[in-house]
PDB file of all heavy atoms in Angstrom:
ATOM      1  N   TRP A   3     -67.967  12.298 -11.027  1.00 98.00           N
ATOM      2  CA  TRP A   3     -67.201  12.999 -12.058  1.00 98.00           C
ATOM      3  C   TRP A   3     -67.984  12.907 -13.366  1.00 98.00           C
ATOM      4  O   TRP A   3     -68.457  11.832 -13.752  1.00 98.00           O
ATOM      5  CB  TRP A   3     -65.819  12.374 -12.244  1.00 98.00           C
ATOM      6  CG  TRP A   3     -64.857  12.666 -11.149  1.00 98.00           C
ATOM      7  CD1 TRP A   3     -64.542  11.871 -10.082  1.00 98.00           C
ATOM      8  CD2 TRP A   3     -64.055  13.839 -11.014  1.00 98.00           C
ATOM      9  NE1 TRP A   3     -63.625  12.486  -9.290  1.00 98.00           N
ATOM     10  CE2 TRP A   3     -63.291  13.705  -9.840  1.00 98.00           C
ATOM     11  CE3 TRP A   3     -63.906  15.014 -11.760  1.00 98.00           C
ATOM     12  CZ2 TRP A   3     -62.395  14.671  -9.396  1.00 98.00           C
ATOM     13  CZ3 TRP A   3     -63.014  15.979 -11.330  1.00 98.00           C
ATOM     14  CH2 TRP A   3     -62.278  15.804 -10.164  1.00 98.00           C
ATOM     15  N   PHE A   4     -68.095  14.039 -14.006  1.00 98.00           N
ATOM     16  CA  PHE A   4     -68.735  14.133 -15.308  1.00 98.00           C
ATOM     17  C   PHE A   4     -67.752  14.767 -16.283  1.00 98.00           C
ATOM     18  O   PHE A   4     -66.772  15.382 -15.861  1.00 98.00           O
ATOM     19  CB  PHE A   4     -70.003  14.999 -15.229  1.00 98.00           C
ATOM     20  CG  PHE A   4     -71.115  14.378 -14.413  1.00 98.00           C
ATOM     21  CD1 PHE A   4     -71.067  14.370 -13.031  1.00 98.00           C
ATOM     22  CD2 PHE A   4     -72.209  13.809 -15.037  1.00 98.00           C
ATOM     23  CE1 PHE A   4     -72.085  13.796 -12.273  1.00 98.00           C
ATOM     24  CE2 PHE A   4     -73.241  13.242 -14.297  1.00 98.00           C
ATOM     25  CZ  PHE A   4     -73.174  13.237 -12.919  1.00 98.00           C
ATOM     26  N   ARG A   5     -68.024  14.650 -17.566  1.00 98.00           N
ATOM     27  CA  ARG A   5     -67.177  15.319 -18.551  1.00 98.00           C
ATOM     28  C   ARG A   5     -68.025  15.805 -19.716  1.00 98.00           C
ATOM     29  O   ARG A   5     -69.091  15.241 -20.012  1.00 98.00           O
ATOM     30  CB  ARG A   5     -66.070  14.403 -19.047  1.00 98.00           C
ATOM     31  CG  ARG A   5     -66.534  13.223 -19.867  1.00 98.00           C
ATOM     32  CD  ARG A   5     -65.356  12.311 -20.198  1.00 98.00           C
ATOM     33  NE  ARG A   5     -65.752  11.168 -21.014  1.00 98.00           N
ATOM     34  CZ  ARG A   5     -64.939  10.153 -21.309  1.00 98.00           C
ATOM     35  NH1 ARG A   5     -63.672  10.144 -20.853  1.00 98.00           N
ATOM     36  NH2 ARG A   5     -65.361   9.162 -22.064  1.00 98.00           N
ATOM     37  N   GLN A   6     -67.516  16.842 -20.362  1.00 98.00           N
ATOM     38  CA  GLN A   6     -68.196  17.386 -21.525  1.00 98.00           C
ATOM     39  C   GLN A   6     -67.162  17.731 -22.578  1.00 98.00           C
ATOM     40  O   GLN A   6     -66.335  18.620 -22.376  1.00 98.00           O
ATOM     41  CB  GLN A   6     -69.019  18.620 -21.164  1.00 98.00           C
ATOM     42  CG  GLN A   6     -69.868  19.131 -22.307  1.00 98.00           C
ATOM     43  CD  GLN A   6     -70.865  20.179 -21.860  1.00 98.00           C
ATOM     44  OE1 GLN A   6     -70.703  20.830 -20.829  1.00 98.00           O
ATOM     45  NE2 GLN A   6     -71.934  20.352 -22.631  1.00 98.00           N
ATOM     46  N   ALA A   7     -67.227  17.005 -23.680  1.00 98.00           N
ATOM     47  CA  ALA A   7     -66.359  17.286 -24.808  1.00 98.00           C
ATOM     48  C   ALA A   7     -67.017  18.354 -25.683  1.00 98.00           C
ATOM     49  O   ALA A   7     -68.237  18.532 -25.664  1.00 98.00           O
ATOM     50  CB  ALA A   7     -66.125  16.017 -25.612  1.00 98.00           C
ATOM     51  N   ALA A   8     -66.208  19.058 -26.427  1.00 96.00           N
ATOM     52  CA  ALA A   8     -66.713  20.127 -27.287  1.00 96.00           C
ATOM     53  C   ALA A   8     -67.783  19.595 -28.233  1.00 96.00           C
ATOM     54  O   ALA A   8     -67.572  18.586 -28.915  1.00 96.00           O
ATOM     55  CB  ALA A   8     -65.565  20.739 -28.084  1.00 96.00           C
ATOM     56  N   GLY A   9     -68.926  20.246 -28.227  1.00 95.00           N
ATOM     57  CA  GLY A   9     -70.012  19.857 -29.112  1.00 95.00           C
ATOM     58  C   GLY A   9     -70.861  18.707 -28.618  1.00 95.00           C
ATOM     59  O   GLY A   9     -71.812  18.300 -29.294  1.00 95.00           O
ATOM     60  N   ASN A  10     -70.520  18.171 -27.455  1.00 96.00           N
ATOM     61  CA  ASN A  10     -71.258  17.032 -26.898  1.00 96.00           C
ATOM     62  C   ASN A  10     -71.977  17.410 -25.618  1.00 96.00           C
ATOM     63  O   ASN A  10     -71.657  18.417 -24.979  1.00 96.00           O
ATOM     64  CB  ASN A  10     -70.308  15.868 -26.609  1.00 96.00           C
ATOM     65  CG  ASN A  10     -69.775  15.223 -27.861  1.00 96.00           C
ATOM     66  OD1 ASN A  10     -70.141  15.597 -28.976  1.00 96.00           O
ATOM     67  ND2 ASN A  10     -68.892  14.259 -27.693  1.00 96.00           N
ATOM     68  N   GLU A  11     -72.938  16.588 -25.235  1.00 97.00           N
ATOM     69  CA  GLU A  11     -73.598  16.778 -23.950  1.00 97.00           C
ATOM     70  C   GLU A  11     -72.698  16.271 -22.830  1.00 97.00           C
ATOM     71  O   GLU A  11     -71.822  15.425 -23.044  1.00 97.00           O
ATOM     72  CB  GLU A  11     -74.934  16.025 -23.929  1.00 97.00           C
ATOM     73  CG  GLU A  11     -75.964  16.587 -24.900  1.00 97.00           C
ATOM     74  CD  GLU A  11     -77.314  15.926 -24.735  1.00 97.00           C
ATOM     75  OE1 GLU A  11     -77.415  14.949 -23.985  1.00 97.00           O
ATOM     76  OE2 GLU A  11     -78.276  16.393 -25.384  1.00 97.00           O
ATOM     77  N   ARG A  12     -72.947  16.788 -21.652  1.00 97.00           N
ATOM     78  CA  ARG A  12     -72.190  16.328 -20.492  1.00 97.00           C
ATOM     79  C   ARG A  12     -72.601  14.891 -20.174  1.00 97.00           C
ATOM     80  O   ARG A  12     -73.775  14.530 -20.259  1.00 97.00           O
ATOM     81  CB  ARG A  12     -72.448  17.244 -19.302  1.00 97.00           C
ATOM     82  CG  ARG A  12     -71.526  16.995 -18.126  1.00 97.00           C
ATOM     83  CD  ARG A  12     -71.418  18.207 -17.236  1.00 97.00           C
ATOM     84  NE  ARG A  12     -72.674  18.728 -16.761  1.00 97.00           N
ATOM     85  CZ  ARG A  12     -72.810  19.863 -16.090  1.00 97.00           C
ATOM     86  NH1 ARG A  12     -71.754  20.606 -15.829  1.00 97.00           N
ATOM     87  NH2 ARG A  12     -73.997  20.257 -15.693  1.00 97.00           N
ATOM     88  N   GLU A  13     -71.629  14.070 -19.805  1.00 97.00           N
ATOM     89  CA  GLU A  13     -71.894  12.663 -19.507  1.00 97.00           C
ATOM     90  C   GLU A  13     -71.246  12.269 -18.193  1.00 97.00           C
ATOM     91  O   GLU A  13     -70.235  12.828 -17.774  1.00 97.00           O
ATOM     92  CB  GLU A  13     -71.359  11.773 -20.631  1.00 97.00           C
ATOM     93  CG  GLU A  13     -69.863  11.831 -20.819  1.00 97.00           C
ATOM     94  CD  GLU A  13     -69.349  10.871 -21.889  1.00 97.00           C
ATOM     95  OE1 GLU A  13     -70.137  10.088 -22.439  1.00 97.00           O
ATOM     96  OE2 GLU A  13     -68.135  10.913 -22.168  1.00 97.00           O
ATOM     97  N   SER A  14     -71.858  11.277 -17.572  1.00 98.00           N
ATOM     98  CA  SER A  14     -71.322  10.744 -16.328  1.00 98.00           C
ATOM     99  C   SER A  14     -70.115   9.866 -16.614  1.00 98.00           C
ATOM    100  O   SER A  14     -70.126   9.071 -17.555  1.00 98.00           O
ATOM    101  CB  SER A  14     -72.397   9.937 -15.605  1.00 98.00           C
ATOM    102  OG  SER A  14     -71.880   9.329 -14.454  1.00 98.00           O
ATOM    103  N   VAL A  15     -69.089  10.003 -15.805  1.00 98.00           N
ATOM    104  CA  VAL A  15     -67.868   9.205 -15.942  1.00 98.00           C
ATOM    105  C   VAL A  15     -67.763   8.183 -14.815  1.00 98.00           C
ATOM    106  O   VAL A  15     -67.532   7.002 -15.053  1.00 98.00           O
ATOM    107  CB  VAL A  15     -66.629  10.112 -15.946  1.00 98.00           C
ATOM    108  CG1 VAL A  15     -65.350   9.282 -15.959  1.00 98.00           C
ATOM    109  CG2 VAL A  15     -66.669  11.067 -17.134  1.00 98.00           C
ATOM    110  N   ALA A  16     -67.933   8.652 -13.576  1.00 98.00           N
ATOM    111  CA  ALA A  16     -67.783   7.782 -12.420  1.00 98.00           C
ATOM    112  C   ALA A  16     -68.487   8.410 -11.229  1.00 98.00           C
ATOM    113  O   ALA A  16     -68.702   9.623 -11.197  1.00 98.00           O
ATOM    114  CB  ALA A  16     -66.309   7.555 -12.092  1.00 98.00           C
ATOM    115  N   ALA A  17     -68.820   7.574 -10.254  1.00 97.00           N
ATOM    116  CA  ALA A  17     -69.437   8.069  -9.030  1.00 97.00           C
ATOM    117  C   ALA A  17     -69.044   7.157  -7.887  1.00 97.00           C
ATOM    118  O   ALA A  17     -68.713   5.979  -8.097  1.00 97.00           O
ATOM    119  CB  ALA A  17     -70.956   8.134  -9.167  1.00 97.00           C
ATOM    120  N   ILE A  18     -69.104   7.706  -6.671  1.00 96.00           N
ATOM    121  CA  ILE A  18     -68.725   6.930  -5.491  1.00 96.00           C
ATOM    122  C   ILE A  18     -69.643   7.287  -4.344  1.00 96.00           C
ATOM    123  O   ILE A  18     -69.987   8.453  -4.137  1.00 96.00           O
ATOM    124  CB  ILE A  18     -67.243   7.178  -5.128  1.00 96.00           C
ATOM    125  CG1 ILE A  18     -66.783   6.247  -4.015  1.00 96.00           C
ATOM    126  CG2 ILE A  18     -66.988   8.639  -4.777  1.00 96.00           C
ATOM    127  CD1 ILE A  18     -65.260   6.220  -3.839  1.00 96.00           C
ATOM    128  N   SER A  19     -70.079   6.265  -3.603  1.00 95.00           N
ATOM    129  CA  SER A  19     -70.931   6.496  -2.451  1.00 95.00           C
ATOM    130  C   SER A  19     -70.164   7.197  -1.350  1.00 95.00           C
ATOM    131  O   SER A  19     -68.926   7.236  -1.356  1.00 95.00           O
ATOM    132  CB  SER A  19     -71.462   5.155  -1.938  1.00 95.00           C
ATOM    133  OG  SER A  19     -70.396   4.341  -1.491  1.00 95.00           O
ATOM    134  N   TRP A  20     -70.909   7.748  -0.369  1.00 91.00           N
ATOM    135  CA  TRP A  20     -70.191   8.506   0.663  1.00 91.00           C
ATOM    136  C   TRP A  20     -69.314   7.598   1.518  1.00 91.00           C
ATOM    137  O   TRP A  20     -68.305   8.022   2.059  1.00 91.00           O
ATOM    138  CB  TRP A  20     -71.139   9.342   1.513  1.00 91.00           C
ATOM    139  CG  TRP A  20     -72.089   8.630   2.450  1.00 91.00           C
ATOM    140  CD1 TRP A  20     -73.434   8.469   2.275  1.00 91.00           C
ATOM    141  CD2 TRP A  20     -71.784   8.033   3.724  1.00 91.00           C
ATOM    142  NE1 TRP A  20     -73.981   7.809   3.335  1.00 91.00           N
ATOM    143  CE2 TRP A  20     -72.990   7.528   4.260  1.00 91.00           C
ATOM    144  CE3 TRP A  20     -70.617   7.869   4.469  1.00 91.00           C
ATOM    145  CZ2 TRP A  20     -73.061   6.883   5.481  1.00 91.00           C
ATOM    146  CZ3 TRP A  20     -70.682   7.225   5.699  1.00 91.00           C
ATOM    147  CH2 TRP A  20     -71.888   6.745   6.180  1.00 91.00           C
ATOM    148  N   SER A  21     -69.680   6.305   1.608  1.00 92.00           N
ATOM    149  CA  SER A  21     -68.859   5.372   2.372  1.00 92.00           C
ATOM    150  C   SER A  21     -67.632   4.922   1.580  1.00 92.00           C
ATOM    151  O   SER A  21     -66.694   4.356   2.141  1.00 92.00           O
ATOM    152  CB  SER A  21     -69.683   4.146   2.743  1.00 92.00           C
ATOM    153  OG  SER A  21     -70.009   3.399   1.582  1.00 92.00           O
ATOM    154  N   GLY A  22     -67.671   5.134   0.259  1.00 92.00           N
ATOM    155  CA  GLY A  22     -66.592   4.644  -0.591  1.00 92.00           C
ATOM    156  C   GLY A  22     -66.758   3.199  -0.996  1.00 92.00           C
ATOM    157  O   GLY A  22     -65.966   2.672  -1.781  1.00 92.00           O
ATOM    158  N   GLY A  23     -67.798   2.553  -0.479  1.00 93.00           N
ATOM    159  CA  GLY A  23     -67.969   1.128  -0.730  1.00 93.00           C
ATOM    160  C   GLY A  23     -68.628   0.783  -2.045  1.00 93.00           C
ATOM    161  O   GLY A  23     -68.562  -0.360  -2.495  1.00 93.00           O
ATOM    162  N   SER A  24     -69.272   1.751  -2.671  1.00 95.00           N
ATOM    163  CA  SER A  24     -69.940   1.509  -3.955  1.00 95.00           C
ATOM    164  C   SER A  24     -69.435   2.508  -4.980  1.00 95.00           C
ATOM    165  O   SER A  24     -69.281   3.685  -4.677  1.00 95.00           O
ATOM    166  CB  SER A  24     -71.451   1.652  -3.805  1.00 95.00           C
ATOM    167  OG  SER A  24     -71.968   0.686  -2.924  1.00 95.00           O
ATOM    168  N   THR A  25     -69.208   2.003  -6.177  1.00 97.00           N
ATOM    169  CA  THR A  25     -68.744   2.868  -7.264  1.00 97.00           C
ATOM    170  C   THR A  25     -69.504   2.569  -8.539  1.00 97.00           C
ATOM    171  O   THR A  25     -70.073   1.484  -8.710  1.00 97.00           O
ATOM    172  CB  THR A  25     -67.248   2.695  -7.542  1.00 97.00           C
ATOM    173  OG1 THR A  25     -66.971   1.324  -7.807  1.00 97.00           O
ATOM    174  CG2 THR A  25     -66.401   3.173  -6.365  1.00 97.00           C
ATOM    175  N   TYR A  26     -69.500   3.536  -9.406  1.00 97.00           N
ATOM    176  CA  TYR A  26     -70.096   3.408 -10.736  1.00 97.00           C
ATOM    177  C   TYR A  26     -69.086   3.933 -11.762  1.00 97.00           C
ATOM    178  O   TYR A  26     -68.394   4.923 -11.489  1.00 97.00           O
ATOM    179  CB  TYR A  26     -71.389   4.232 -10.840  1.00 97.00           C
ATOM    180  CG  TYR A  26     -71.752   4.549 -12.274  1.00 97.00           C
ATOM    181  CD1 TYR A  26     -72.447   3.640 -13.060  1.00 97.00           C
ATOM    182  CD2 TYR A  26     -71.338   5.739 -12.864  1.00 97.00           C
ATOM    183  CE1 TYR A  26     -72.740   3.909 -14.383  1.00 97.00           C
ATOM    184  CE2 TYR A  26     -71.625   6.022 -14.190  1.00 97.00           C
ATOM    185  CZ  TYR A  26     -72.332   5.102 -14.944  1.00 97.00           C
ATOM    186  OH  TYR A  26     -72.614   5.365 -16.262  1.00 97.00           O
ATOM    187  N   TYR A  27     -69.005   3.235 -12.900  1.00 98.00           N
ATOM    188  CA  TYR A  27     -68.160   3.704 -13.991  1.00 98.00           C
ATOM    189  C   TYR A  27     -68.920   3.602 -15.310  1.00 98.00           C
ATOM    190  O   TYR A  27     -69.630   2.608 -15.551  1.00 98.00           O
ATOM    191  CB  TYR A  27     -66.883   2.867 -14.103  1.00 98.00           C
ATOM    192  CG  TYR A  27     -65.963   3.001 -12.927  1.00 98.00           C
ATOM    193  CD1 TYR A  27     -65.971   2.065 -11.900  1.00 98.00           C
ATOM    194  CD2 TYR A  27     -65.071   4.080 -12.833  1.00 98.00           C
ATOM    195  CE1 TYR A  27     -65.128   2.190 -10.805  1.00 98.00           C
ATOM    196  CE2 TYR A  27     -64.222   4.211 -11.748  1.00 98.00           C
ATOM    197  CZ  TYR A  27     -64.271   3.265 -10.740  1.00 98.00           C
ATOM    198  OH  TYR A  27     -63.435   3.392  -9.658  1.00 98.00           O
ATOM    199  N   ALA A  28     -68.754   4.588 -16.142  1.00 98.00           N
ATOM    200  CA  ALA A  28     -69.269   4.480 -17.502  1.00 98.00           C
ATOM    201  C   ALA A  28     -68.492   3.383 -18.231  1.00 98.00           C
ATOM    202  O   ALA A  28     -67.312   3.152 -17.942  1.00 98.00           O
ATOM    203  CB  ALA A  28     -69.105   5.814 -18.224  1.00 98.00           C
ATOM    204  N   ASP A  29     -69.148   2.719 -19.147  1.00 98.00           N
ATOM    205  CA  ASP A  29     -68.511   1.626 -19.875  1.00 98.00           C
ATOM    206  C   ASP A  29     -67.235   2.095 -20.578  1.00 98.00           C
ATOM    207  O   ASP A  29     -66.263   1.334 -20.686  1.00 98.00           O
ATOM    208  CB  ASP A  29     -69.474   1.042 -20.905  1.00 98.00           C
ATOM    209  CG  ASP A  29     -70.581   0.228 -20.271  1.00 98.00           C
ATOM    210  OD1 ASP A  29     -70.440  -0.158 -19.090  1.00 98.00           O
ATOM    211  OD2 ASP A  29     -71.590  -0.023 -20.942  1.00 98.00           O
ATOM    212  N   SER A  30     -67.228   3.320 -21.031  1.00 97.00           N
ATOM    213  CA  SER A  30     -66.096   3.834 -21.804  1.00 97.00           C
ATOM    214  C   SER A  30     -64.828   3.999 -20.982  1.00 97.00           C
ATOM    215  O   SER A  30     -63.735   4.123 -21.551  1.00 97.00           O
ATOM    216  CB  SER A  30     -66.466   5.175 -22.443  1.00 97.00           C
ATOM    217  OG  SER A  30     -66.837   6.111 -21.451  1.00 97.00           O
ATOM    218  N   VAL A  31     -64.950   3.989 -19.650  1.00 98.00           N
ATOM    219  CA  VAL A  31     -63.763   4.206 -18.808  1.00 98.00           C
ATOM    220  C   VAL A  31     -63.475   3.044 -17.876  1.00 98.00           C
ATOM    221  O   VAL A  31     -62.463   3.060 -17.161  1.00 98.00           O
ATOM    222  CB  VAL A  31     -63.895   5.505 -17.979  1.00 98.00           C
ATOM    223  CG1 VAL A  31     -64.201   6.691 -18.881  1.00 98.00           C
ATOM    224  CG2 VAL A  31     -64.937   5.370 -16.880  1.00 98.00           C
ATOM    225  N   LYS A  32     -64.315   2.032 -17.875  1.00 98.00           N
ATOM    226  CA  LYS A  32     -64.105   0.881 -16.993  1.00 98.00           C
ATOM    227  C   LYS A  32     -62.752   0.247 -17.254  1.00 98.00           C
ATOM    228  O   LYS A  32     -62.364   0.029 -18.402  1.00 98.00           O
ATOM    229  CB  LYS A  32     -65.210  -0.155 -17.206  1.00 98.00           C
ATOM    230  CG  LYS A  32     -66.497   0.153 -16.486  1.00 98.00           C
ATOM    231  CD  LYS A  32     -67.532  -0.942 -16.710  1.00 98.00           C
ATOM    232  CE  LYS A  32     -68.827  -0.592 -16.021  1.00 98.00           C
ATOM    233  NZ  LYS A  32     -69.890  -1.599 -16.316  1.00 98.00           N
ATOM    234  N   GLY A  33     -62.046  -0.050 -16.178  1.00 98.00           N
ATOM    235  CA  GLY A  33     -60.730  -0.668 -16.286  1.00 98.00           C
ATOM    236  C   GLY A  33     -59.602   0.325 -16.497  1.00 98.00           C
ATOM    237  O   GLY A  33     -58.428  -0.048 -16.420  1.00 98.00           O
ATOM    238  N   ARG A  34     -59.944   1.584 -16.774  1.00 98.00           N
ATOM    239  CA  ARG A  34     -58.910   2.612 -16.988  1.00 98.00           C
ATOM    240  C   ARG A  34     -58.962   3.706 -15.916  1.00 98.00           C
ATOM    241  O   ARG A  34     -57.921   4.248 -15.537  1.00 98.00           O
ATOM    242  CB  ARG A  34     -59.095   3.255 -18.359  1.00 98.00           C
ATOM    243  CG  ARG A  34     -58.985   2.278 -19.524  1.00 98.00           C
ATOM    244  CD  ARG A  34     -58.966   3.010 -20.861  1.00 98.00           C
ATOM    245  NE  ARG A  34     -60.193   3.775 -21.102  1.00 98.00           N
ATOM    246  CZ  ARG A  34     -60.211   5.081 -21.330  1.00 98.00           C
ATOM    247  NH1 ARG A  34     -59.092   5.790 -21.324  1.00 98.00           N
ATOM    248  NH2 ARG A  34     -61.368   5.699 -21.552  1.00 98.00           N
ATOM    249  N   PHE A  35     -60.148   4.047 -15.466  1.00 98.00           N
ATOM    250  CA  PHE A  35     -60.321   5.122 -14.484  1.00 98.00           C
ATOM    251  C   PHE A  35     -60.693   4.524 -13.134  1.00 98.00           C
ATOM    252  O   PHE A  35     -61.384   3.504 -13.061  1.00 98.00           O
ATOM    253  CB  PHE A  35     -61.435   6.075 -14.906  1.00 98.00           C
ATOM    254  CG  PHE A  35     -61.131   6.943 -16.092  1.00 98.00           C
ATOM    255  CD1 PHE A  35     -60.021   6.719 -16.900  1.00 98.00           C
ATOM    256  CD2 PHE A  35     -61.966   7.996 -16.412  1.00 98.00           C
ATOM    257  CE1 PHE A  35     -59.751   7.515 -17.996  1.00 98.00           C
ATOM    258  CE2 PHE A  35     -61.727   8.816 -17.501  1.00 98.00           C
ATOM    259  CZ  PHE A  35     -60.611   8.567 -18.293  1.00 98.00           C
ATOM    260  N   THR A  36     -60.239   5.188 -12.069  1.00 98.00           N
ATOM    261  CA  THR A  36     -60.594   4.778 -10.710  1.00 98.00           C
ATOM    262  C   THR A  36     -60.993   6.004  -9.909  1.00 98.00           C
ATOM    263  O   THR A  36     -60.235   6.974  -9.834  1.00 98.00           O
ATOM    264  CB  THR A  36     -59.417   4.086 -10.018  1.00 98.00           C
ATOM    265  OG1 THR A  36     -59.009   2.940 -10.787  1.00 98.00           O
ATOM    266  CG2 THR A  36     -59.812   3.626  -8.615  1.00 98.00           C
ATOM    267  N   ILE A  37     -62.169   5.929  -9.310  1.00 98.00           N
ATOM    268  CA  ILE A  37     -62.636   7.003  -8.431  1.00 98.00           C
ATOM    269  C   ILE A  37     -62.398   6.587  -6.989  1.00 98.00           C
ATOM    270  O   ILE A  37     -62.572   5.415  -6.634  1.00 98.00           O
ATOM    271  CB  ILE A  37     -64.125   7.329  -8.687  1.00 98.00           C
ATOM    272  CG1 ILE A  37     -64.544   8.589  -7.923  1.00 98.00           C
ATOM    273  CG2 ILE A  37     -65.022   6.136  -8.358  1.00 98.00           C
ATOM    274  CD1 ILE A  37     -65.937   9.091  -8.291  1.00 98.00           C
ATOM    275  N   SER A  38     -61.992   7.516  -6.169  1.00 98.00           N
ATOM    276  CA  SER A  38     -61.774   7.255  -4.745  1.00 98.00           C
ATOM    277  C   SER A  38     -62.038   8.535  -3.981  1.00 98.00           C
ATOM    278  O   SER A  38     -62.174   9.611  -4.564  1.00 98.00           O
ATOM    279  CB  SER A  38     -60.355   6.747  -4.498  1.00 98.00           C
ATOM    280  OG  SER A  38     -59.398   7.724  -4.885  1.00 98.00           O
ATOM    281  N   ARG A  39     -62.129   8.409  -2.667  1.00 96.00           N
ATOM    282  CA  ARG A  39     -62.374   9.588  -1.844  1.00 96.00           C
ATOM    283  C   ARG A  39     -61.680   9.442  -0.511  1.00 96.00           C
ATOM    284  O   ARG A  39     -61.471   8.330  -0.010  1.00 96.00           O
ATOM    285  CB  ARG A  39     -63.872   9.824  -1.653  1.00 96.00           C
ATOM    286  CG  ARG A  39     -64.603   8.767  -0.857  1.00 96.00           C
ATOM    287  CD  ARG A  39     -66.107   8.966  -0.931  1.00 96.00           C
ATOM    288  NE  ARG A  39     -66.527  10.215  -0.319  1.00 96.00           N
ATOM    289  CZ  ARG A  39     -67.717  10.780  -0.537  1.00 96.00           C
ATOM    290  NH1 ARG A  39     -68.576  10.217  -1.375  1.00 96.00           N
ATOM    291  NH2 ARG A  39     -68.043  11.904   0.072  1.00 96.00           N
ATOM    292  N   ASP A  40     -61.356  10.577   0.065  1.00 95.00           N
ATOM    293  CA  ASP A  40     -60.767  10.642   1.398  1.00 95.00           C
ATOM    294  C   ASP A  40     -61.641  11.610   2.184  1.00 95.00           C
ATOM    295  O   ASP A  40     -61.496  12.832   2.050  1.00 95.00           O
ATOM    296  CB  ASP A  40     -59.319  11.118   1.324  1.00 95.00           C
ATOM    297  CG  ASP A  40     -58.624  11.088   2.661  1.00 95.00           C
ATOM    298  OD1 ASP A  40     -59.320  11.124   3.702  1.00 95.00           O
ATOM    299  OD2 ASP A  40     -57.392  11.042   2.683  1.00 95.00           O
ATOM    300  N   ASN A  41     -62.551  11.066   2.980  1.00 92.00           N
ATOM    301  CA  ASN A  41     -63.488  11.929   3.697  1.00 92.00           C
ATOM    302  C   ASN A  41     -62.791  12.795   4.746  1.00 92.00           C
ATOM    303  O   ASN A  41     -63.270  13.879   5.082  1.00 92.00           O
ATOM    304  CB  ASN A  41     -64.598  11.085   4.339  1.00 92.00           C
ATOM    305  CG  ASN A  41     -65.564  10.539   3.301  1.00 92.00           C
ATOM    306  OD1 ASN A  41     -65.635  11.007   2.172  1.00 92.00           O
ATOM    307  ND2 ASN A  41     -66.313   9.508   3.687  1.00 92.00           N
ATOM    308  N   ALA A  42     -61.684  12.324   5.262  1.00 91.00           N
ATOM    309  CA  ALA A  42     -60.937  13.130   6.243  1.00 91.00           C
ATOM    310  C   ALA A  42     -60.353  14.382   5.601  1.00 91.00           C
ATOM    311  O   ALA A  42     -60.159  15.398   6.270  1.00 91.00           O
ATOM    312  CB  ALA A  42     -59.826  12.299   6.868  1.00 91.00           C
ATOM    313  N   LYS A  43     -60.079  14.294   4.292  1.00 93.00           N
ATOM    314  CA  LYS A  43     -59.525  15.438   3.564  1.00 93.00           C
ATOM    315  C   LYS A  43     -60.556  16.154   2.722  1.00 93.00           C
ATOM    316  O   LYS A  43     -60.224  17.087   1.985  1.00 93.00           O
ATOM    317  CB  LYS A  43     -58.366  14.978   2.681  1.00 93.00           C
ATOM    318  CG  LYS A  43     -57.178  14.441   3.441  1.00 93.00           C
ATOM    319  CD  LYS A  43     -56.039  14.061   2.487  1.00 93.00           C
ATOM    320  CE  LYS A  43     -54.828  13.564   3.266  1.00 93.00           C
ATOM    321  NZ  LYS A  43     -53.707  13.194   2.366  1.00 93.00           N
TER     322      LYS A  43
END
């Protein structure tokens, strides 16, 4: 997931491996945002 605010460059927010076992969060969203995936869906 990335985001772009008006007048700003696009930035990375979060990422998740295809297994779901590894995640990445930008410092600005750690503890507030959660990324997840359902490969069956």
Side-chain angles (χ1 to χ4, degrees):
W3 286 98
F4 293 76
R5 67 185 181 188
Q6 186 169 22
N10 290 357
E11 294 187 352
R12 190 157 54 188
E13 63 177 355
S14 176
V15 175
I18 187 167
S19 63
W20 69 254
S21 67
S24 297
T25 56
Y26 159 84
Y27 294 97
D29 287 343
S30 58
V31 306
K32 279 182 182 175
R34 300 189 298 122
F35 290 12
T36 302
I37 189 171
S38 62
R39 66 190 296 163
D40 185 337
N41 288 342
K43 296 182 178 180

